[in-house]
Amino acid sequence: MKKISLVIVLLFTLVLSACGNNGGNASTTESLTVNIGLLKNVTHAPGFIALQKGYFQDAFGANVKIEVTAFDNGSDFSTAIATNQIDLGFVGPGPAINQFLKSENFRIISGSNNGGAVLIARKDAGIHSVQDLVGKTVAIPTKGSTNEISLRLLLQQEGLKVSTDTSGVQIITRAPADTLVAMRQKEVDATLIPEPWGMQMVEEGTGEVLVDWDKIPPNDGNYPLTLLVASDKFLKAHRDLAKQAIQANLDGIDFIKTHPTEAYELISAELKELSGKGMDVKLIKGAIEHLNLTDEVDLEVIKTMAKVSFDAGYIKDIKENELDLSKFIDLSLLDEVKQNK
């Protein structure tokens, strides 16, 4: 009788141990905080919708507190995720590549949006083609940004060089809102900028489209502009929650495609929460029409972008043949989500 009782106790102990050990993955019954980062750009629309519709919260569970940090640029975001200030979020490939090759401690786990940037020329700047940018000043949001990579590729295609004088094209950095003001005040001649800033410049008569979103390199606009990334620390500890974040991103993409009118209002509402100011729904609608919302990630395009960053001097202390991005993209969780595993 004592032996039988002992066996029962041991079995019960093993069951309890198995229930309490999920291989390092958090369950939705565990109380914790998940820090999500994103940029205050319409190109991050799936993330906005996932927050506004409660997709993240519903997937994570009531015991998970979500804290959102809004960034002005991808460089600040990338530093934050590399230093574990945030757990996951949305960012462009340019600054993410540069940071990954330094820290190698976060991963792309899904795509979110491809394309959505345009090259705008100031109306009275005498610019009618890309060739006319020689001797002109072109603004990009921040150094090493995805928009700068696209601009450098575009200039390469046209046989133009980047310079600090009038012999080539001069690149300067300005936040999108500051670029809008600078265009009005004729302080810059052109800008490669994410939507809806370009559309706003066109509508108010400040600028005109020089190269539309579907002709911006690489890959004629079909390049990753917004990616879902997660820190290695978060992936190791909370793999299940990372999968749920991917599902929230997919749900955000689907909602925008199936309920566009409602989505525009929600995107404006999230922008107001993040920046203190919403946006005209007409501008949001126009911007969304210039996006290719997708979970796909093209490694070859990412490699092309990394080469441009390397040539521009943003990737240091590494040789070109050491640009290994094989560990930067891990779509295994995305595959599991799609297969309902």
Side-chain angles (χ1 to χ4, degrees):
M1 192 71 177
K2 286 184 179 180
K3 288 184 178 180
I4 294 174
S5 299
L6 181 60
V7 170
I8 292 173
V9 170
L10 286 172
L11 287 173
F12 185 66
T13 302
L14 287 171
V15 170
L16 286 178
S17 176
C19 291
N21 179 11
N22 55 9
N25 296 327
S27 92
T28 51
T29 60
E30 179 185 346
S31 295
L32 74 154
T33 298
V34 175
N35 296 282
I36 299 175
L38 37 63
L39 274 62
K40 296 172 278 190
N41 292 341
V42 175
T43 50
H44 290 232
F48 291 1
I49 294 298
L51 289 168
Q52 284 287 312
K53 292 290 291 181
Y55 294 149
F56 283 118
Q57 192 66 72
D58 291 345
F60 291 166
N63 289 315
V64 176
K65 179 183 178 182
I66 295 174
E67 291 188 355
V68 179
T69 302
F71 295 88
D72 291 321
N73 59 70
S75 297
D76 291 344
F77 173 102
S78 299
T79 300
I81 198 164
T83 54
N84 294 309
Q85 296 174 53
I86 55 175
D87 299 307
L88 58 89
F90 300 85
V91 69
I97 290 169
N98 298 343
Q99 179 60 57
F100 171 79
L101 290 170
K102 297 175 186 176
S103 60
E104 295 190 357
N105 63 349
F106 64 97
R107 303 284 183 271
I108 296 171
I109 58 174
S110 176
S112 188
N113 167 60
N114 281 7
V118 291
L119 180 60
I120 300 292
R122 201 180 74 240
K123 263 197 170 179
D124 54 358
I127 301 171
H128 307 291
S129 71
V130 176
Q131 291 291 327
D132 294 332
L133 292 176
V134 175
K136 305 294 185 179
T137 301
V138 184
I140 45 97
T142 188
K143 288 184 177 180
S145 64
T146 307
N147 292 303
E148 181 179 357
I149 290 173
S150 290
L151 176 59
R152 285 179 176 271
L153 280 169
L154 183 62
L155 297 178
Q156 286 177 18
Q157 290 176 6
E158 296 288 329
L160 304 180
K161 67 176 183 178
V162 176
S163 70
T164 56
D165 55 35
T166 57
S167 66
V169 181
Q170 300 175 65
I171 298 177
I172 63 170
T173 59
R174 290 283 190 283
D178 295 334
T179 297
L180 179 61
V181 174
M183 290 281 277
R184 291 169 180 165
Q185 297 177 348
K186 302 182 180 182
E187 295 174 355
V188 297
D189 303 305
T191 178
L192 202 150
I193 198 167
E195 291 286 26
W197 297 99
M199 182 175 299
Q200 186 169 348
M201 293 174 189
V202 171
E203 289 209 349
E204 70 177 30
T206 304
E208 54 191 2
V209 176
L210 189 63
V211 180
D212 213 345
W213 73 278
D214 56 356
K215 292 294 183 289
I216 296 291
N219 211 26
D220 287 334
N222 192 26
Y223 60 90
L225 189 64
T226 309
L227 300 161
L228 178 59
V229 302
S231 71
D232 286 357
K233 180 180 179 181
F234 184 78
L235 289 171
K236 183 178 180 179
H238 309 299
R239 181 179 174 85
D240 287 346
L241 291 185
K243 288 172 64 175
Q244 290 159 358
I246 291 172
Q247 185 61 61
N249 174 53
L250 297 180
D251 290 342
I253 291 172
D254 182 67
F255 186 86
I256 295 169
K257 291 180 177 180
T258 56
H259 301 82
T261 302
E262 185 180 350
Y264 305 149
E265 296 286 354
L266 292 173
I267 291 167
S268 179
E270 184 62 26
L271 277 171
K272 187 173 183 179
E273 287 188 25
L274 297 175
S275 65
K277 185 178 181 181
M279 183 173 287
D280 188 330
V281 170
K282 182 181 177 181
L283 287 174
I284 294 174
K285 178 179 184 295
I288 295 297
E289 290 173 351
H290 289 175
L291 309 183
N292 176 19
L293 301 175
T294 178
D295 58 73
E296 296 179 0
V297 182
D298 190 328
L299 176 58
E300 292 307 311
V301 173
I302 296 290
K303 288 180 178 178
T304 297
M305 292 180 158
K307 175 66 165 58
V308 175
S309 287
F310 180 84
D311 292 341
Y314 293 123
I315 299 173
K316 303 181 184 298
D317 302 322
I318 189 173
K319 297 178 181 179
E320 185 176 344
N321 60 3
E322 297 174 342
L323 290 174
D324 183 10
L325 296 171
S326 59
K327 296 180 181 178
F328 184 41
I329 302 175
D330 182 0
L331 302 182
S332 61
L333 289 176
L334 175 62
D335 292 338
E336 289 178 22
V337 170
K338 287 185 170 184
Q339 296 168 15
N340 294 317
K341 289 185 177 180

